[in-house]
Amino acid sequence: GVLPPLGVYDPLGLIETRDMRRYEIMEVKHGRAAMLGFLHIILIQAGARFPGYLSPTAGLKFADVPSGCFASLEALPTAGWLQIMLTTCMMETGYFIFEYQGYGALDKEPGDIGGEGWIRYDDASTKTFKLNVERQNGRAAMMGITGCLAHEILGVDALYPTGGFGGEAPPEIIDMYTSFANFPSFAAV
């Protein structure tokens, strides 16, 4: 949902024609995934690794995983990706740990997961505030993870695209002296 001070901008009146509950559930879920993804980038860039083997059969240790966003994903063996996808599908369908929390579970609020041990707020204003904080953090994380991926696609570091704490210049993506040498210009000859 739209949070203050912006208000709702719907000039075509599409909100009344759709079930917005599904979009709220997806926003909370994707925000949580983005927060975990951004935390992954921070930890990988900082050099944090689990001890031991990521894949004993492939001889791949956690310490051997490179620190780039795409490089760390490409380092995983195919069997590892299949395990991740199987576990995710089991959790999405409600087969795994918790009862089904997804679209269609009308007795649950969006993002209300974790069983009976999860912290719940009886006060409606506190609950609304906490949910809105989580949504805003999720939106910021979605923008942050997108920015990190775009930086790596452009050939610079995900977290420090300007060269890091030392202040050195980032590597050049385009050589400005030779890349456009044959491009016509309007300069006087």
Side-chain angles (χ1 to χ4, degrees):
V2 177
L3 301 175
L6 299 177
V8 177
Y9 179 73
D10 186 25
L12 301 177
L14 297 176
I15 290 178
E16 288 82 24
T17 63
R18 299 205 178 246
D19 182 10
M20 296 307 290
R21 179 178 167 76
R22 177 173 180 259
Y23 295 106
E24 289 177 14
I25 292 169
M26 288 190 311
E27 180 183 28
V28 170
K29 185 186 298 184
H30 289 124
R32 288 175 178 170
M35 287 187 270
L36 287 173
F38 195 74
L39 182 62
H40 162 78
I41 290 174
I42 291 172
L43 290 174
I44 290 293
Q45 291 283 339
R49 304 287 194 279
F50 288 115
Y53 284 89
L54 176 64
S55 175
T57 57
L60 180 65
K61 293 183 177 182
F62 284 103
D64 297 335
V65 176
S67 65
C69 297
F70 293 113
S72 64
L73 296 177
E74 291 170 353
L76 288 179
T78 304
W81 277 114
L82 292 175
Q83 290 172 0
I84 292 170
M85 292 175 65
L86 178 67
T87 304
T88 303
C89 289
M90 290 171 69
M91 291 173 65
E92 284 288 324
T93 59
Y95 182 79
F96 196 49
I97 297 175
F98 307 115
E99 61 187 70
Y100 180 68
Q101 302 288 331
Y103 182 64
L106 299 177
D107 60 330
K108 303 287 184 186
E109 290 293 321
D112 191 6
I113 63 168
E116 296 302 319
W118 202 259
I119 296 174
R120 289 178 171 75
Y121 300 96
D122 295 328
D123 182 30
S125 64
T126 303
K127 184 176 181 178
T128 301
F129 174 78
K130 296 287 187 177
L131 183 60
N132 288 340
V133 166
E134 182 182 16
R135 284 183 178 165
Q136 295 289 41
N137 288 339
R139 291 170 182 170
M142 285 186 260
M143 296 302 293
I145 193 81
T146 302
C148 287
L149 293 173
H151 288 153
E152 282 213 357
I153 288 172
L154 293 173
V156 294
D157 188 70
L159 290 180
Y160 306 109
T162 59
F165 289 127
E168 60 274 0
E172 289 187 9
I173 298 171
I174 297 173
D175 182 11
M176 63 183 212
Y177 300 108
T178 60
S179 295
F180 301 106
N182 296 327
F183 192 76
S185 69
F186 297 101
V189 181

